[in-house]
């Protein structure tokens, strides 16, 4: 799949380029809702739009194929991009947050084949062939997932910056243990820091989902 010379691209592959973004665009985007309500796209091959005014780059590139929130993407990515950059800057999935950008805070957590990973510390090329779920993929048909609703009900988000990562790690926990106790929740979320120190409410929310009839994230 590697294509360092940037020649002979698969015509079905979309070459992504960094979008032109003004400071105003950035500030407006930063206000996005933390408990995302976007519906999961219907499974299919998506056409990701390249920027109208691409920034030339001589960086090595690789063609990858991955599934993000149920949609299959064939993408031409730069080898230096992290998965977080790919999701946020090129697929416009800005629900995934970047806090420390060095594997310490967990704000960037997404699920890769069901397992929580720090997307700031995964290269996009390493995600080739994988199934990625982001916070945008939790809601179904405009309905918050039970876990998202529990975060709302228990005041899980304060500033909300850590919330997407907390939700993704807790989703993975609930997928393998539908009824975790508080200690199990604390252990699972140990890699997700909350600078607002809202840990008690977050643990309560996750435990509450497990206690619901039918549980599940
Ligand atoms: S932004 Fe990835 S761990 Fe902090
Ligand atoms: S709610 Fe503010 S960092 Fe967790």
């Amino acid at each position: 799949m590697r294509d360092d010379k940037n020649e002979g691209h698969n015509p079905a592959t979309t070459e992504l380029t960094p979008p032109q973004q003004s400071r105003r665009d950035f500030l407006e985007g930063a206000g996005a809702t933390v408990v995302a309500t976007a519906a999961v796209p219907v499974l299919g091959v998506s056409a990701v739009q390249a920027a109208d005014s691409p920034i030339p780059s001589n960086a090595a590139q690789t063609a990858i194929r991955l599934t993000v929130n149920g949609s299959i993407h064939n993408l031409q990515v730069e080898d230096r991009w992290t998965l977080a950059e790919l999701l946020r800057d090129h697929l416009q999935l800005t629900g995934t947050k970047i806090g420390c950008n060095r594997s310490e805070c967990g704000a960037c957590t997404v699920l890769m084949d069901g397992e929580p990973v720090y997307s700031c510390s995964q290269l996009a090329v390493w995600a080739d062939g994988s199934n990625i779920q982001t916070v945008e993929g939790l809601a179904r048909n405009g309905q918050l997932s039970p876990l998202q609703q529990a975060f709302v009900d228990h005041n899980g988000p304060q500033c909300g910056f850590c919330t997407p990562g907390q939700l993704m790690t807790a989703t993975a926990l609930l997928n393998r243990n539908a009824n975790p106790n508080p200690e199990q929740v604390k252990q699972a979320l140990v890699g997700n820091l909350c600078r607002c120190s809202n840990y008690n409410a977050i643990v309560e929310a996750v435990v509450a989902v497990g206690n619901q009839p039918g549980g599940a994230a």
Side-chain angles (χ1 to χ4, degrees):
M1 302 265 310
R2 189 173 175 109
D3 186 15
D4 284 342
K5 295 180 180 174
N6 195 20
E7 295 174 346
H9 291 169
N10 181 340
T13 300
T14 301
E15 184 167 342
L16 298 175
T17 54
Q20 302 287 321
Q21 187 180 43
S22 67
R23 175 176 167 78
R24 179 181 183 135
D25 291 339
F26 169 78
L27 292 173
E28 288 176 348
T33 307
V34 292
V35 181
T37 58
V40 175
V42 175
L43 184 64
V45 177
S46 68
V48 179
Q49 297 298 315
D52 291 338
S53 303
I55 297 173
S57 170
N58 295 322
Q61 299 184 5
T62 298
I64 65 170
R65 177 184 173 91
L66 72 170
T67 302
V68 182
N69 297 331
S71 291
I72 299 172
H73 296 273
N74 293 299
L75 306 169
Q76 188 77 18
V77 301
E78 293 187 6
D79 291 1
R80 61 184 176 176
W81 290 353
T82 65
L83 179 57
E85 287 178 280
L86 173 62
L87 294 171
R88 287 179 49 83
D89 300 342
H90 304 281
L91 296 180
Q92 284 73 54
L93 294 171
T94 55
T96 299
K97 302 305 181 195
I98 298 177
C100 66
N101 210 17
R102 56 179 186 185
S103 299
E104 290 180 356
C105 74
C108 63
T109 303
V110 301
L111 302 190
M112 179 183 285
D113 295 328
E115 292 298 323
V117 297
Y118 292 158
S119 62
C120 74
S121 303
Q122 296 281 327
L123 289 176
V125 293
W126 295 346
D128 184 26
S130 67
N131 192 337
I132 303 295
Q133 187 179 18
T134 71
V135 71
E136 288 89 348
L138 292 181
R140 294 278 190 274
N141 300 319
Q143 294 289 316
L144 297 179
S145 73
L147 178 62
Q148 288 175 301
Q149 188 60 54
F151 265 61
V152 173
D153 295 343
H154 292 264
N155 296 318
Q158 291 296 305
C159 79
F161 197 82
C162 73
T163 305
Q166 305 276 7
L167 286 168
M168 299 318 294
T169 302
T171 294
L173 169 65
L174 290 164
N175 285 342
R176 65 177 185 273
N177 177 0
N179 191 14
N181 61 39
E183 199 52 43
Q184 291 169 325
V185 174
K186 290 176 189 174
Q187 287 180 10
L189 291 175
V190 72
N192 290 82
L193 306 184
C194 175
R195 283 179 289 182
C196 299
S197 217
N198 200 34
Y199 296 108
N200 288 346
I202 292 168
V203 172
E204 283 174 19
V206 180
V207 171
V209 174
N211 288 336
Q212 289 177 9

